[in-house]
Amino acid sequence: MSKHGLVEFDAVLAIARLGSFRAAALELGLSTTALSNLIGKLERGLGIRLFNRTTRSVSLTDAGQGFVNQIGPAIRTLHDALEAARAHQETPSGTLRINAFATGAREILQPLLLDFLRRYPQVHIDLVTEGRIVDIVEAGFDLGLRSADLVPTDMIAVPVGPPRSFAVVATPAYFDAHGEPRVPPDLLHHACLRIRLPNGALHRWQFEKDGQPVQIDVQGPITLDEASLTRSAVLDHVGIGYFMESDVRADIQAGRLRRVLEGWTPPLAPLCLYYPSRRNHSAAFKALIDMARGPTDRTALVRSSPSPSNVGNSLI
């Protein structure tokens, strides 16, 4: 549910941002019918129509656009003020919304987030995964999770998680039948599982050795856009896959998959939880950040804007 009694205004902003009553209802924890009734009541009270609604689309009217432009900053200010008041409570509670890319979410789910929930059972975490980088303030998130080199300008970043790297793997049976690649260009003679990025582009496998980067446009029998599907195909001996090492670590340790070209996959930038540098945060927020920093309080980083050449690293 939307918090602090601002549900009507939060509802208008959510529909305008998402372009859908259904998506906004899910975000707000309402039924679509309840949300529609809420907006209808507000429109009747204002004496204007805020949205043009058809069976296929939702768009703001001119009056609705003006309304959204005016209330948006004010509602954010009210939420900030209410959060500041709630920040004085001693027991962490309430909801924390985190935006992350899927691989990063898998990396911190068990060691950080689930442990945090066990420690603070009155807190609810709403974790949203997507490939594109969003403005977490505009989209209503408390925190974002990205590779350190992709954290937006002026955000405070807290490194989390173990060291990260890519891993090139296949089953022992595949390598026994086809041989192992010794250098990245050898991959051009193997069946490789191609990766489609969230923006629709095909990912070129990235390698580096002695400071020299190499990109290989691999070929293979199938293109996939989700790591778990790629893992299933590789385990079925279809070919060689390119993963975040954390996604296949257990398979490598169990001998189900064999890693190659390890010398060509150096460590990547660490994952970071990041957030805007406003002062007032809830007790739940502060508790998660303290837990992320660990027993030794590391100085938070302020990062620069992401460079386009690094975006692919964060989306796999």
Side-chain angles (χ1 to χ4, degrees), residues 253-270:
Q253 292 172 348
R256 293 184 293 268
L257 295 176
R258 186 186 303 167
R259 186 175 183 180
V260 295
L261 301 174
E262 188 168 358
W264 289 87
T265 52
L268 299 170

Side-chain angles (χ1 to χ4, degrees), residues 25-305:
L26 287 172
E27 180 175 290
L28 296 167
L30 299 169
S31 69
T32 305
T33 299
L35 179 60
S36 181
N37 291 337
L38 191 71
I39 296 299
K41 181 179 179 181
L42 179 61
E43 289 177 326
R44 289 190 296 275
L46 293 172
I48 61 171
R49 179 176 290 275
L50 297 173
F51 296 98
N52 293 313
R53 304 194 273 283
T54 71
T55 56
R56 294 189 177 183
S57 66
V58 176
S59 63
L60 286 165
T61 63
D62 289 342
Q65 185 64 65
F67 184 72
V68 165
N69 291 342
Q70 287 189 301
I71 70 167
I75 295 303
R76 283 193 291 271
T77 299
L78 283 171
H79 277 304
D80 288 345
L82 290 163
E83 287 294 348
R86 295 178 70 244
H88 294 289
Q89 68 185 35
E90 295 182 1
T91 302
S93 63
T95 296
L96 290 175
R97 299 193 71 230
I98 303 174
N99 181 276
F101 66 107
T103 298
R106 290 193 293 270
E107 289 183 44
I108 71 164
L109 180 64
Q110 186 171 17
L112 177 61
L113 299 184
L114 297 185
D115 192 18
F116 174 80
L117 291 174
R118 283 189 288 268
R119 190 175 301 186
Y120 301 105
Q122 295 183 49
V123 178
H124 174 85
I125 289 179
D126 183 2
L127 179 62
V128 177
T129 60
E130 53 188 324
R132 66 190 182 96
I133 297 176
V134 304
D135 182 333
I136 60 170
V137 176
E138 180 68 23
F141 290 97
D142 299 291
L143 294 146
L145 179 72
R146 296 286 158 183
S147 173
D149 51 356
L150 296 176
V151 173
T153 303
D154 297 333
M155 290 284 175
I156 295 175
V158 179
V160 293
R164 310 169 67 237
S165 69
F166 292 123
V168 180
V169 298
T171 60
Y174 175 88
F175 286 135
D176 290 345
H178 302 282
E180 294 185 4
R182 302 297 178 184
V183 293
D186 291 347
L187 292 167
L188 297 174
H189 306 292
H190 285 268
C192 297
L193 281 73
R194 308 197 75 184
I195 301 166
R196 188 174 300 281
L197 298 173
N199 63 6
L202 289 173
H203 180 254
R204 294 189 175 191
W205 294 13
Q206 302 173 36
F207 300 95
E208 183 181 327
K209 193 170 188 179
D210 299 327
Q212 296 299 314
V214 177
Q215 293 187 359
I216 304 296
D217 189 11
V218 298
Q219 302 297 316
I222 190 169
T223 299
L224 298 166
D225 64 358
E226 210 288 316
S228 64
L229 297 176
T230 305
R231 175 178 172 271
S232 295
V234 170
L235 287 169
D236 205 32
H237 320 292
V238 171
I240 300 176
Y242 183 89
F243 298 89
M244 289 301 304
E245 185 270 340
S246 58
D247 282 338
V248 291
R249 184 180 299 142
D251 296 311
I252 295 170
Q253 292 172 348
R256 293 184 293 268
L257 295 176
R258 186 186 303 167
R259 186 175 183 180
V260 295
L261 301 174
E262 188 168 358
W264 289 87
T265 52
L268 299 170
L271 283 178
C272 286
L273 282 171
Y274 65 92
Y275 55 94
S277 56
R278 60 191 182 195
R279 294 183 179 181
N280 298 313
H281 294 291
S282 69
F285 181 100
K286 293 175 182 177
L288 179 60
I289 292 301
D290 288 344
M291 192 168 171
R293 285 177 174 155
T296 56
D297 187 7
R298 291 173 287 183
T299 301
L301 306 174
V302 177
R303 307 303 304 179
S304 60
S305 295

